[in-house]
Amino acid sequence: TGATDGLQSLGEAQNGHLGALALLFDQVKNEDIHPAKKAKSSQPAQQVRARHILLKHRECKAAHDKVRHKQVKRTRGEAERMMRNVLEQCAADTTKKLFTQKCKELSECTSCLSAGDLAGDVGWMKLGKGKFGAQFDAVAFALQVGELSDLVDSDQGIHIILRSA
């Protein structure tokens, strides 16, 4: 007990000479972490970076596909079914390359035109200052890096969000 809990010596000085000394920490208890570091690690992120796939429907605030320059005619139900299918496919792909491909093929947000793995990138988002609304922000900030969201509904349309940082 005490300061040597979890501390093991793998070597000792011999014949008055300094020998190789290695120390292993078996356990680091939460109370052993400096309070400033503990507070910092438990605070929510102040900003995140995300990518998304957006599919619009007739009930959107702006039912116009800015990528393909056409009016959107699908219903909300059709958009949800299409996006559920995309989500299932993307969730099975651990490399996230399919997310990029589907974003370029389907997304109706001009962010899909970004090159390579930046397709769908909405950039760094600050808490409460997102351009897609409170629901989008709440989901993006709740995701872990590399995690896909479920379908997210906003006045822009139906989104799938991938947190990238």
Side-chain angles (χ1 to χ4, degrees), residues 9 12 21 37 71 75 89 124 129:
S9 172
E12 296 181 17
L21 183 65
K37 282 190 177 184
Q71 194 65 24
T75 66
Q89 291 174 38
W124 287 99
K129 303 210 189 262

Side-chain angles (χ1 to χ4, degrees), residues 40-48 125-127 141 163 165:
K40 189 175 183 181
S41 66
S42 65
Q43 292 176 355
Q46 295 300 307
Q47 61 180 5
V48 299
M125 301 168 41
K126 292 189 184 230
L127 193 56
F141 275 85
R163 180 165 169 193

Side-chain angles (χ1 to χ4, degrees), residues 1-10 22-29 31-32:
T1 33
T4 58
D5 278 355
L7 184 64
Q8 296 177 2
S9 172
L10 294 181
L23 300 174
L24 295 177
F25 291 91
D26 288 341
Q27 302 170 344
V28 177
K29 297 177 184 160
E31 60 265 12
D32 296 335

Side-chain angles (χ1 to χ4, degrees), residues 54-119:
L54 169 66
L55 206 58
K56 297 183 176 210
H57 50 78
R58 290 190 300 229
E59 299 166 40
C60 291
K61 183 168 90 175
H64 184 76
D65 179 349
K66 293 181 181 178
V67 177
R68 291 157 199 89
H69 308 291
K70 64 179 186 177
Q71 194 65 24
V72 175
K73 296 180 180 177
R74 75 180 66 85
T75 66
R76 178 188 296 267
E78 290 168 333
E80 286 177 2
R81 279 190 294 281
M82 289 173 68
M83 289 294 269
R84 181 66 57 198
N85 185 29
V86 169
L87 180 61
E88 288 171 5
Q89 291 174 38
C90 289
D93 176 34
T94 57
T95 67
K96 305 297 183 241
K97 292 193 183 302
L98 188 59
F99 181 90
T100 301
Q101 178 187 335
K102 292 296 184 182
C103 182
K104 289 179 178 185
E105 286 174 13
L106 299 172
S107 188
E108 294 169 337
C109 176
T110 55
S111 65
C112 77
L113 302 173
S114 299
D117 288 341
L118 290 177

